[in-house]
Amino acid sequence: MENWQRAFILHTRSYTETSLLVDLFVENIGKVKVLAKGAKRKSSALKGMLQPFTPLIVQYSGQGEIKTLRQVEAMSLALPLVSVFLYSAFYLNELLHRVLVAEAELPTLFDDYLKSLKQLAQQVPAENVLRAFELSLLENLGYHVDFFHCCVTGDDIVKSMYYQYQSEKGFISSLLQNSISFTGEQVLALGKRQFDNIDTLKAAKRFTRMALKPYVGSKPFKSRELFLKI
């Protein structure tokens, strides 16, 4: 890989006394694991750059699972994230780190991630940003659910009716009201990614938790513990 690529840091961990293993989210490539040699040395120029939420351009090489980081430059300072907006950004990183398969290209996800970070830096309501990104992630993963039609009859979703969510299939009209029930208004809000009130926002969170569970498993998110401290 000779060309410079835009990237963000998803996760780092120690590899040796002086080096780091770094999971990058690389534009047009996806998740890439690289060895940053000497990055832990006090004199290393890498030390200050290999931080989350800093827009980077990188060069790396190698054919195996772990590439070698050759060069890295910061395109700008880290995005100014504080409080709940910072914790939300950590959640996005943890979500991507857990879900992405190595070097699996997802067409629009890098731009969606960058857009979400910018929105959080601008202090757009965090819950709205997270739900919209989760839906984008599901779409990129091939999880295509029709939020505008009943998955059985093909009829238009009606705001005043109730629908049962069937995993990876869609929504079917029903008189039942339980943990997998949604109003038509909530379903349409999911399709439009417009959560204009608490009701539709809570419904979106309930839906994305269900839809993402096969990808993320049951292990608790460390980033969610940060929200409990607020």
Side-chain angles (χ1 to χ4, degrees), residues 25 105-114 133 136 139-140:
F25 183 28
E105 182 182 349
L106 301 174
T108 67
L109 196 61
F110 187 89
D111 286 340
D112 291 335
Y113 172 76
L114 178 57
F133 181 79
S136 173
E139 187 175 303
N140 273 270

Side-chain angles (χ1 to χ4, degrees), residues 9-24 31-40 50-52 65-66 97-98 222:
I9 303 292
L10 292 181
H11 184 262
T12 62
R13 65 182 183 275
S14 294
Y15 185 69
T16 64
E17 289 186 3
T18 59
S19 301
L20 291 171
L21 273 182
V22 181
D23 286 302
L24 297 170
K31 186 169 72 172
V32 178
K33 189 182 300 293
V34 299
L35 175 62
K37 295 180 179 179
K40 291 172 64 179
L50 298 180
Q51 302 296 327
E65 178 184 353
I66 301 176
H97 185 253
R98 190 176 294 195
K222 292 181 180 179

Side-chain angles (χ1 to χ4, degrees), residues 64-215:
E65 178 184 353
I66 301 176
K67 320 296 184 187
T68 299
L69 185 64
R70 296 301 181 190
Q71 296 188 75
V72 56
E73 292 184 10
M75 296 176 67
S76 69
L77 297 175
L79 291 162
L81 297 158
V82 297
S83 186
V84 66
F85 305 100
L86 176 61
Y87 303 156
S88 298
F90 275 122
Y91 167 72
L92 293 184
N93 276 15
E94 193 173 3
L95 178 62
L96 288 175
H97 185 253
R98 190 176 294 195
V99 169
L100 295 184
V101 177
E103 298 185 62
E105 182 182 349
L106 301 174
T108 67
L109 196 61
F110 187 89
D111 286 340
D112 291 335
Y113 172 76
L114 178 57
K115 176 184 176 182
S116 297
L117 290 185
K118 288 179 177 178
Q119 289 176 327
L120 291 171
Q122 295 163 0
Q123 301 194 359
V124 174
E127 289 287 331
N128 296 62
V129 176
L130 296 184
R131 300 296 82 79
F133 181 79
E134 287 169 339
L135 289 167
S136 173
L137 175 59
L138 285 164
E139 187 175 303
N140 273 270
L141 291 171
Y143 195 97
H144 297 299
V145 169
D146 188 343
F147 297 103
F148 300 100
H149 303 91
C150 172
C151 67
V152 174
T153 66
D155 293 339
D156 291 345
I157 296 290
V158 178
K159 285 186 177 183
S160 59
M161 291 179 61
Y162 278 88
Y163 296 84
Q164 294 270 298
Y165 169 63
Q166 296 189 348
S167 181
E168 299 191 32
K169 294 181 180 178
F171 296 87
I172 180 172
S173 58
S174 174
L175 297 176
L176 294 176
Q177 297 182 38
N178 52 31
S179 62
I180 60 171
S181 296
F182 296 82
T183 65
E185 181 180 9
Q186 293 167 345
V187 176
L188 291 171
L190 285 165
K192 297 173 183 176
R193 300 184 191 180
Q194 295 177 353
F195 314 116
D196 300 326
N197 54 61
I198 294 296
D199 180 63
T200 55
L201 197 55
K202 286 183 176 179
K205 187 172 186 176
R206 184 159 52 93
F207 171 79
T208 56
R209 288 279 178 91
M210 288 190 290
L212 283 168
K213 189 173 182 179
Y215 299 97

